[in-house]
Amino acid sequence: MLIVRKCNTIAKAKMAKAQRRPSTLGIIHEGDCMDSFIKSADQWLEDKKRFDGAEGLWRVHDGLYDLTHFVETHPGGRFWIETTQGLDITESWESHHISSKAEQLLPKYFVRKARTPRNSPFTFHEDGFYKTLKGRVRSLLPHLPKDPIKTSNWIFDILFVVSVLLSTLATLYSSHTIGISAGICMAFTLVAGHNYYHKADNFRLYPNYVFMLNSRDFRIVHVLSHHAFPNSVSDLQAHMLEPLVLLYPGKKSFVTKYLSYIYVPLMVWPMFFLGPHVIKLYQWIFSGKSQHIRDDLLAWILPLFLYVATKQPPLNVLTMWVFIMLVNGFWFGLVGFTLNHYHPDIFMDGDVSRYDESDWGVSQVDTAGEKIGMVNTHFLGLIFLGDHVLHHLFPVMDHGVIQYLYPVFRETMREFKLDLQVFGKGEFVGGYFRRLSTEDTSSRPVGRSRYHTKVFDKG
């Protein structure tokens, strides 16, 4: 525990010297979470509550609601209601409820108006980009096919089974070649599993635990933080690896600016799952910190299964399992961190904000990019986070169905004179590392910079 405390102290000192730029979006999110070396999803929630003005209730726009008695009947499950008490959930509420049912039901739980302005610059005006697009998508809901959802489920299930099978063969034959295949397939399974984080509580969240990704914590980090406030000071996913990985503009040391090109892919990504897991086990064993530890212990199902299935010596099983998890972490980091949000042409809080545009949907377009070859493709989109802008706009929709929104998406984008930012996969990876060494804000407003007509019109 002394090691953990020392790391936190060092991290806070470095962050204090980093001379962070204030949010150019005007969002306030300060507290122990962002300043800690080991960042906690629960601490992010507590820090956010301090500035949301929800007064222990649930805030949607400028209204306060008491959803206590809605926990048991919420179609999305208990988790979302229980976890968001005391928060302003406007962005998540708007993007996760496409039909009009939620709008009709919400007034039943109204308590009073909020006493403070929202700690968010984003708007949802009826004649704005997002609400216009949402209304058009709403009219499509009865006509969208169901079969692609089944296909997504099959893809995820098969990837999970193949990952376990390859892990078993790698352990049985002590083959690192098969182990690499197992780790890559495992990472693809986790990326495809991203399809289920936004949905109602479901059993397909549990395979992620088995592969060492805590679904509960990641739903907070990814859904409530990243999706609602992408690339902002409130985006814990972008802050997660600080101070080792600094994506935001601001003062950076020589090590962070240049050596990160080496240690990020060789050390940070491979340890993305194992590192936090070891720390949580250390805290549990030596300090008795057991919050949600049962969730993390589900990761040990796989090595126990490998031991029973292969009858190999425990040390051999453990060694191969660790190797597979290192490959898993590297590939997940490569796909999950480099291919969507961090190219220098994509807006990051601290950059110049363009046109004083506050529409939440426009902010999603500005903070995400598409990959050439990954637009409107079901399988590749599922395992490489394709159709990413549409996914951010309507995260609750299955990846297999979202491609059917392209006609109205294209129409609305043109109507509001918005451009889709599209990059090659190599451009994205190179742009990610350029972001790591970028200190200054962009010299021009970011966004609306790259419009690939042929790629976009493919939808």
Side-chain angles (χ1 to χ4, degrees), residues 177-243:
T177 301
I178 300 177
I180 291 174
S181 300
I184 293 175
C185 189
M186 193 177 290
F188 279 141
T189 305
L190 293 176
V191 174
H194 157 263
N195 187 44
Y196 303 97
Y197 286 119
H198 301 268
K199 298 182 179 182
D201 299 338
N202 61 89
F203 73 90
R204 286 188 173 85
L205 295 173
Y206 288 98
N208 300 297
Y209 286 111
V210 176
F211 292 164
M212 210 173 278
L213 182 58
N214 187 307
S215 289
R216 178 203 172 270
D217 288 354
F218 201 66
R219 284 176 116 185
I220 297 171
V221 172
H222 183 73
V223 180
L224 298 178
S225 174
H226 169 67
H227 263 261
F229 308 99
N231 292 13
S232 75
V233 296
S234 196
D235 181 357
L236 179 55
Q237 183 170 301
H239 285 284
M240 181 62 71
L241 300 177
E242 292 182 352

Side-chain angles (χ1 to χ4, degrees), residues 252-269:
K252 299 176 183 179
S253 67
F254 176 85
V255 172
T256 304
K257 286 178 64 175
Y258 302 112
L259 295 187
S260 58
Y261 284 54
I262 300 172
Y263 69 72
V264 167
L266 295 183
M267 296 175 59
V268 175
W269 289 348

Side-chain angles (χ1 to χ4, degrees), residues 150-168 180-196 204 207-208 210-211 302 324 328 331-332 335 378-385 399:
K150 297 178 182 178
T151 302
S152 294
N153 294 341
W154 275 110
I155 291 172
F156 176 78
D157 295 343
I158 290 172
L159 285 172
F160 175 73
V161 171
V162 172
S163 298
V164 174
L165 178 61
L166 289 173
S167 299
T168 304
I180 291 174
S181 300
I184 293 175
C185 189
M186 193 177 290
F188 279 141
T189 305
L190 293 176
V191 174
H194 157 263
N195 187 44
Y196 303 97
R204 286 188 173 85
N208 300 297
V210 176
F211 292 164
L302 181 58
I324 292 171
N328 176 24
W331 199 258
F332 185 87
V335 174
H378 191 169
F379 177 69
L380 292 179
L382 198 61
I383 66 172
F384 279 105
L385 299 173
H399 271 285

